[in-house]
Amino acid sequence: MASIDAGPTAGWLPAGQKLLFTLIPDEPVTDAYRYIVQVEENGTIISKIYLTPNPTETSFFDLSQVLTGRLEVDSLKYNTTATIHSLNNRIFTRSNDNIKRYRLKVGHFDGSSESLADDTSGYYYLFDGYEQLSQGLFPSFSDYYGTASTKKVWLSDRQPSNNVIEVSAGIEDNGVAAFINSDDTGSLITRFVINTYDTAGSLDDTIIYTVNATNGGLVPTTTWSDTNNDASLLYAYVYPASLSAITTALNAVTGGWGHYDVIPQTASAQTGNILRIRNKCRNTKNNPVQLGWANTRGGWDYLRFDGRKLKTVTREEKTYRKIVGDYNGSQFALSPSARQIKPYQLEAKESYQFNGILTLEEVNLMQYCMRSKNVMARIDGTWSPVTIQTNSMAIEEDTISKIFVVSFNVELAQIIRC
């Protein structure tokens, strides 16, 4: 029977990469010979593919091509219709089927009969995310398993420095930070410790949130079921506005908070990089705009723009010509204000130019926003889907302060009815 000779290591992986399996025969190959690959998603067959051997009698199967459109970074809270970025009354929310389990059955057709058997490599737990060609074939994802303090853990395109991922955010900014949590990976994060500090850098308070159903999460076991598969991917409400909706710890800091650290732990041992949220006080009277996007790791990243936003409204109209006058009376009547040209379809669109001053790290992060398929913006306190209209970013560097003045254009991804 045919079998898999090489392929990605079973485990948790982003689906957007070359998930290429090499198929080899265990029997003579004839002209009628076909490889068979059957794909099961959470135990349900979703695809059965027949492949012709190449001149070396092998064949290749790319699982990622079967998964197009089947996985998407969560944009809603668990089992609700509310956007995932809005305020929540619990520290965690689970995934809505962004993470699924796949298994292959491999076999062959010899011209008269078929044979299939489970691939012995194991299960593939896949979610919406991407690896680039420059990272090579089958790059490891183990840096996102919560097994040590040196592991990145957080599903973000932000890069850590000395095992700390730093984010600048204001008190009005909300959002989530995603992480994988399953003891199949050895990642068994059981709690978050949040240390708050004042503006002088002194520890003010420590808050502990256990990963459990009460707090909106769940520590999954090695047994995969409908109950715990969604809990293998969790989102934590750790941005300032989101956290302030759950606890008064930030508002209680005397003299104002300077930063706080979110530390993933297993029991009392740190098992992931620190996520440090640093207070970014606004120096403008403009209402800030917050931009959020589905990143390449399977979670969400955010940036905010403090500059004045420019709003533009455009309209698209289709009209028809109407005959005016009243032909039903004893005498013809005509109103001087009668409209001969009338619209039968009228729609409007809103577009915005966001302006802000960003650091070099934040400018580098913008590239991931520009190639994201799912971008949202918090405009005047409301989260809305947007499409990016900036095909190339206009960036002006301040030669003295080494900061960057950035302009960015988006369009509301909703038709405005008129």
Side-chain angles (χ1 to χ4, degrees):
M1 184 182 298
S3 61
I4 292 176
D5 181 57
T9 302
W12 271 252
L13 297 168
Q17 60 176 304
K18 281 283 187 182
L19 299 173
L20 203 67
F21 296 85
T22 303
L23 309 177
I24 59 172
D26 292 335
E27 57 282 309
V29 174
T30 64
D31 290 341
Y33 190 97
R34 297 293 183 271
Y35 289 103
I36 305 174
V37 180
Q38 182 173 289
V39 182
E40 296 180 357
E41 180 184 81
N42 290 354
T44 300
I45 298 172
I46 62 169
S47 179
K48 189 175 183 181
I49 298 174
Y50 294 81
L51 300 169
T52 303
N54 65 19
T56 65
E57 298 187 348
T58 61
S59 190
F60 302 96
F61 169 69
D62 188 355
L63 177 58
S64 65
Q65 294 183 359
V66 177
L67 305 182
T68 302
R70 301 192 69 87
L71 299 165
E72 185 174 342
V73 173
D74 294 282
S75 58
L76 301 177
K77 297 176 185 177
Y78 181 61
N79 284 345
T80 75
T81 58
T83 175
I84 198 170
H85 313 290
S86 61
L87 302 183
N88 200 39
N89 59 0
R90 296 191 286 182
I91 192 73
F92 302 112
T93 192
R94 307 178 201 174
S95 172
N96 287 297
D97 286 333
N98 179 33
I99 188 164
K100 296 177 181 178
R101 182 181 68 174
Y102 295 89
R103 189 165 194 177
L104 304 183
K105 285 190 174 182
V106 180
H108 72 279
F109 173 71
D110 61 10
S112 59
S113 62
E114 297 181 359
S115 60
L116 278 173
D118 287 333
D119 171 33
T120 58
S121 301
Y123 292 104
Y124 297 86
Y125 302 86
L126 304 178
F127 49 90
D128 189 17
Y130 299 89
E131 301 284 13
Q132 303 304 321
L133 184 63
S134 59
Q135 295 168 285
L137 194 61
F138 312 143
S140 172
F141 206 71
S142 63
D143 195 34
Y144 296 88
Y145 299 166
T147 56
S149 61
T150 55
K151 298 292 187 178
K152 183 178 178 181
V153 170
W154 304 100
L155 299 180
S156 169
D157 285 315
R158 293 180 181 269
Q159 296 303 312
S161 175
N162 297 321
N163 297 321
V164 176
I165 299 174
E166 188 162 312
V167 178
S168 295
I171 191 62
E172 60 279 287
D173 292 342
N174 46 41
V176 294
F179 63 102
I180 293 172
N181 202 33
S182 172
D183 55 5
D184 277 2
T185 65
S187 176
L188 189 59
I189 296 171
T190 58
R191 68 179 193 172
F192 276 6
V193 173
I194 301 179
N195 293 326
T196 60
Y197 297 83
D198 61 22
T199 54
S202 299
L203 178 65
D204 182 84
D205 196 7
T206 295
I207 319 160
I208 297 177
Y209 291 102
T210 303
V211 181
N212 57 26
T214 302
N215 288 325
L218 190 66
V219 177
T221 64
T222 54
T223 303
W224 183 271
S225 70
D226 290 338
T227 303
N228 69 7
N229 60 355
D230 293 333
S232 297
L233 176 57
L234 294 179
Y235 300 85
Y237 285 86
V238 292
Y239 274 69
S242 303
L243 190 61
S244 295
I246 302 167
T247 175
T248 60
L250 295 184
N251 293 329
V253 179
T254 302
W257 61 279
H259 74 274
Y260 57 91
D261 290 344
V262 184
I263 308 170
Q265 292 186 346
T266 302
S268 59
Q270 182 179 338
T271 48
N273 285 178
I274 293 173
L275 180 63
R276 178 166 295 162
I277 310 294
R278 193 169 295 279
N279 194 355
K280 183 178 183 180
C281 296
R282 293 197 294 120
N283 55 2
T284 174
K285 295 181 179 180
N286 302 318
N287 288 328
V289 174
Q290 190 179 4
L291 202 61
W293 63 92
N295 59 42
T296 68
R297 305 291 83 191
W300 288 89
D301 279 322
Y302 304 88
L303 280 177
R304 75 183 217 154
F305 293 79
D306 287 328
R308 181 183 299 174
K309 67 178 182 295
L310 176 64
K311 178 180 177 179
T312 303
V313 178
T314 57
R315 65 196 300 271
E316 293 182 1
E317 181 184 51
K318 295 181 180 179
T319 62
Y320 68 96
R321 187 182 297 269
K322 181 182 179 181
I323 298 176
V324 298
D326 183 2
Y327 291 87
N328 295 322
S330 58
Q331 293 185 347
F332 178 76
L334 176 66
S335 171
S337 61
R339 182 183 296 272
Q340 286 184 288
I341 306 298
K342 295 193 68 175
Y344 67 88
Q345 181 177 324
L346 177 59
E347 295 176 345
K349 295 181 179 180
E350 290 183 3
S351 58
Y352 296 87
Q353 182 186 75
F354 300 154
N355 301 289
I357 298 175
L358 304 181
T359 64
L360 177 60
E361 179 190 11
E362 291 171 333
V363 168
N364 290 334
L365 194 64
M366 283 298 298
Q367 64 178 305
Y368 298 102
C369 176
M370 292 186 67
R371 57 196 206 212
S372 176
K373 297 176 183 176
N374 190 354
V375 182
M376 299 192 73
R378 180 174 57 83
I379 304 171
D380 299 327
T382 301
W383 283 97
S384 301
V386 295
T387 59
I388 297 173
Q389 300 300 300
T390 299
N391 293 323
S392 59
M393 213 165 32
I395 300 173
E396 179 184 352
E397 181 182 2
D398 188 302
T399 56
I400 298 176
S401 63
K402 297 300 180 181
I403 58 177
F404 297 83
V405 180
V406 177
S407 294
F408 199 69
N409 297 307
V410 301
E411 183 178 272
L412 187 67
Q414 294 173 333
I415 299 297
I416 299 176
R417 299 183 181 277
C418 304

